[in-house]
Amino acid sequence: MKKKVIKLKDKIIKNIKRVKEEKMISNFFKDNRLFLVYVLVCVLNSTLLRFFTMPTMENYLSFKPIIADLAVVTIIGSFSYLFKGKKRYAYLLVWAIIFTAICTINSAYYTFYTSFASVSMLSLTQYIGEVGDAVVENVLQIKDLVYIFPLIFFIYYYHRLVKKDKYKIYTKEKRIRKFKNTIIAGGIILLLFIVSLSSLEISRFVKQWNREYIVMRFGIYMYQGNDIVASIQPQISAMFGYDDAKKEFTEYYKDRTDEQDYTNEYTNVLEGRNVIVIHAESLQGIAINRTFNGEEVTPNLNRLIKEGLYFNNFYSQVSVGTSSDTELTYNTSLMPTQNGTAFVSYFDRTYISTPSLLKDKGYYTFSMHANNGDFWNRRAMHESLGYDKFYSKETYDVDDENVIGLGLSDKSFFAQSVEKLKKISEEHDKYYGYIITLTNHTPFSDTDKYGEFSVTMKTTITNEDGTEEEIEAPYLEGTKLGNYFKSVHYADEALGEFFTEMDEAGLLDNTAVIIFGDHDARLPKSEFNLMYNYDPVTDDVKDEEDPTYVEYDSFDYELDRKVPLIIWTKDGAVKGEVDYTMGMYDVMPTIGNMLGFYNKYALGNDIFETKDDNIVVFPNGNWVTNKMYYNSQKGEYKLLKDEIIDENYITENNEYAEKLLDVSNKAIVFDLFNPNSEEEATKVNKTLSKEN
């Protein structure tokens, strides 16, 4: 009997404890409704952002970023309990707006750059006005507005609580207790997240350059906080980290010779010639040798390819600075900076560049671009790169009749540039000119000004009754990709007219012309799939079960982003097609060997020395060789050759890429090419020591 009483007593006690626990949990949710909705809204938005931008199974199943975002949101939100009444709601609302803005901005930013935003890019907002149409048409999408709805629900929920008199007003003691409990809970969540990290994840978080990887493992809010620190760091490091940077820089280049120590079949083959470089806006390799209904998209470029030296496996290496990044890498064989852009943030550094080295050989150097001279801070940066003169928009006749897209049409630009080139040719024995085109710039919407060019598909189909019928299916008409081909066709026509006018003026006789696409056109991946898998009968993408269906994945898209590089002379001094894997940073040493100059600090290689043993490193840490394309964010790769890869191959190339990016960044940030940089760094350190 006694045992039954004890068991009954224990059961009653357990039930009482269970009821108390349930009541505590119930009371917790009732007392913290607004706070919990704030947490839910902010974490939901960050999760949606990752799912929208990186739709992979690995990302869908990853809990680390959710835990990280939860920790950040909880810790920041805990301080709301220090405020009373409506001020607590105001505090949570402000942070909810900030977190919503972070998700919205990064969602739109990722659409265009396939990366996440950095506060270091705030200095570039001054240029948005000049490319406003491109931003609206190419970046902002409906998905970018999704994050606003949870925020609206948070606001609605607060007013609902107030209306039903369920918004809790706490005493000071209770507010402090809630603050302590909540921040401790957030700290525990953060600690659990930290202990789950590997040393590789921590290392990449600190270095910051692999943004997609960081967001996938640390969440968007922790990434953004770290980005603020990383954006400020260059200014701090420039004052305090010079010695370490100089040591690493010296170690990296210690085995380089001061003078070129090799020769090959292209050594000095173009020495003494004038050089015209055509930096072709958004010219992508997919346009080369492509036809629609028998009509070539780029007939003039195709002709130049046959007559000159064509590099068909050539990649741009831009970051957020797009065209300006290409100008940096082409001219200096350095990589874009990890934060901000060199053109805006580091225009006052000393650079070893192609124009400066050719000036030493007696060349007059100049650049031409019919856009605002201060766009991308070109006016200042071109001076730093060694150009004697920059012919910007102010030197061209621009009116409404000759404007396409962002500014002066290519045809008018080239025609007016020829007149300037005639004068330059009369005044200088040798010259090097860098000409930047403009018309073929996104959003490719001035189709009525591109001329007649159809991107339809004419084909013959068999009807159900067995008869054949010729049809003209829409194909790429009305798509951004189709409009792009129309724009490229116009740009190619303008280039053809430029060559004709140059030849008639005798300006091609002793001249080497270098043409390259500055970067890809940021075209939708889905439209590439349409291009490769179009069914003219259904006017849609073929079914995946169709035996003619072509698989097109993210790696194919990356490989399709390559751009053309052509070196042409009228007398055919250099001819042929080169399929070595090559990047923008390889151009300077390659043409340097041809023109007779050398830069020991070039990060790239003379492609005719490295040949098939070359690697192209991208600013986000991805890289490509003749064997594979490697995505460092996802740790995935695509083999480009049917051969076995040594297990150390990826590790060694990852280490190479990381070191190259780090050295390049430090060389620019610490002004390591400036012979007086060490003396200036010493003065700064002495001044700081006295102040302390």
Side-chain angles (χ1 to χ4, degrees), residues 13 25 32 34 36 49 63 78 80 92 126 148 155 169 171 285 503-504 509 573 584 609 618 660:
I13 292 171
I25 294 172
N32 300 277
L34 188 67
L36 292 174
L49 171 69
F63 288 99
S78 68
S80 67
L92 291 176
Q126 60 186 300
I148 298 174
I155 297 170
I169 305 296
T171 63
D503 196 21
E504 290 174 352
D509 294 340
M584 192 66 69
E609 283 298 294
F618 299 101
L660 181 145

Side-chain angles (χ1 to χ4, degrees), residues 468-534:
E468 291 187 341
E469 179 185 359
E470 288 188 359
I471 65 168
E472 185 172 358
Y475 197 17
L476 297 179
E477 286 289 348
T479 66
K480 183 179 179 185
L481 180 56
N483 291 345
Y484 170 72
F485 286 129
K486 293 181 179 185
S487 175
V488 173
H489 185 71
Y490 168 87
D492 181 82
E493 279 187 354
L495 186 68
E497 292 178 8
F498 176 65
F499 267 76
T500 298
E501 292 168 7
M502 288 277 286
D503 196 21
E504 290 174 352
L507 296 174
L508 294 179
D509 294 340
N510 187 40
T511 299
V513 182
I514 301 170
I515 307 169
F516 62 83
D518 64 345
H519 52 73
D520 70 289
R522 311 288 182 181
L523 299 163
K525 178 175 174 286
S526 60
E527 293 185 6
F528 279 78
N529 192 35
L530 175 67
M531 179 173 68
Y532 291 122
N533 291 294
Y534 182 70

Side-chain angles (χ1 to χ4, degrees), residues 94-275:
V94 168
W95 277 103
I97 291 172
I98 291 172
F99 289 136
T100 300
I102 286 173
C103 293
T104 303
I105 292 169
N106 277 282
S107 180
Y109 191 90
Y110 192 92
T111 300
F112 196 69
Y113 290 111
T114 320
S115 184
F116 294 97
S118 171
V119 296
S120 62
M121 301 308 295
L122 290 175
S123 59
L124 304 184
T125 55
Q126 60 186 300
Y127 305 125
I128 290 178
E130 300 195 37
V131 291
D133 291 341
V135 172
V136 172
E137 292 192 35
N138 292 280
V139 179
L140 295 177
Q141 298 180 3
I142 294 176
K143 69 176 177 59
D144 303 323
L145 305 177
V146 170
Y147 311 97
I148 298 174
F149 293 109
L151 176 64
I152 293 173
F153 175 75
F154 174 73
I155 297 170
Y156 160 77
Y157 190 76
Y158 163 73
H159 288 289
R160 185 165 174 264
L161 287 176
V162 172
K163 186 176 181 180
K164 293 191 175 185
D165 200 26
K166 292 182 179 180
Y167 182 63
K168 297 286 185 179
I169 305 296
Y170 306 119
T171 63
K172 184 177 181 181
E173 291 74 17
K174 193 170 185 179
R175 284 190 284 112
I176 292 174
R177 185 166 68 251
K178 281 186 170 291
F179 163 69
K180 289 180 179 178
N181 291 339
T182 308
I183 199 169
I184 289 171
I188 292 171
I189 297 171
L190 180 61
L191 183 62
L192 290 173
F193 170 73
I194 291 173
V195 297
S196 71
L197 297 174
S198 66
S199 57
L200 175 63
E201 288 171 330
I202 294 172
S203 173
R204 290 193 171 184
F205 180 72
V206 172
K207 289 184 170 63
Q208 185 77 359
W209 47 263
N210 198 328
R211 296 174 183 176
E212 193 173 19
Y213 178 94
I214 294 172
V215 173
M216 194 180 292
R217 285 161 175 78
F218 291 82
I220 187 63
Y221 304 137
M222 201 168 284
Y223 156 77
Q224 211 72 71
N226 186 48
D227 172 68
I228 293 173
V229 175
S231 298
I232 297 172
Q233 189 178 5
Q235 282 68 40
I236 300 173
S237 298
M239 294 186 291
F240 298 105
Y242 179 87
D243 291 340
D244 289 339
K246 182 69 173 179
K247 182 179 179 181
E248 183 178 346
F249 175 83
T250 303
E251 180 68 20
Y252 188 85
Y253 290 105
K254 68 177 182 179
D255 296 326
R256 301 280 184 96
T257 58
D258 291 331
E259 302 292 336
Q260 184 170 314
D261 60 353
Y262 70 87
T263 58
N264 57 42
E265 60 181 308
Y266 291 98
T267 301
N268 298 330
V269 69
L270 301 178
E271 188 171 19
R273 294 183 186 236
N274 299 318
V275 182

